[in-house]
């Protein structure tokens, strides 16, 4: 992380049973870099919804918005 010199996004799941949101957010904030943190309240540990196993539209929308803002000239 010390060499990170580009926009970064941390997409966290509010229902993550492996790594609680607070613990993840604290780690990213401790890095002291410009890391955008978004929390999907229904999201789990991965990119799929914990109950349905389907891709999470909210996560994909967050990623698309981030990529667009990071690459906008």
């Amino acid at each position: 992380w010390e060499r990170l010199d580009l926009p970064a996004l941390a997409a966290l799941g509010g229902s993550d049973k492996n790594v609680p949101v607070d613990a993840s957010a604290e780690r990213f904030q401790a890095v002291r870099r410009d890391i955008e943190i978004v929390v999907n309240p229904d999201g789990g540990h991965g990119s799929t919804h914990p109950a349905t196993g389907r891709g999470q539209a909210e996560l994909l929308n967050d990623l698309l918005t981030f990529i667009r803002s990071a690459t906008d000239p």
Side-chain angles (χ1 to χ4, degrees):
W1 291 105
E2 291 80 21
R3 298 180 298 200
L4 181 68
D5 190 25
L6 61 137
L9 173 71
L12 309 177
S15 297
D16 189 338
K17 303 290 187 218
N18 297 322
V19 184
V21 169
D22 291 341
S24 293
E26 285 178 17
R27 288 184 118 185
F28 289 119
Q29 291 166 348
V31 171
R32 300 180 191 265
R33 300 280 185 197
D34 186 21
I35 300 174
E36 183 176 339
I37 299 172
V38 295
V39 178
N40 177 346
D42 297 325
H45 188 71
S47 60
T48 57
H49 190 279
T52 65
R54 297 182 65 199
Q56 299 181 56
E58 186 174 350
L59 170 62
L60 297 177
N61 286 330
D62 289 340
L63 289 171
L64 184 57
T65 299
F66 175 77
I67 291 168
R68 284 180 174 155
S69 68
T71 58
D72 190 21

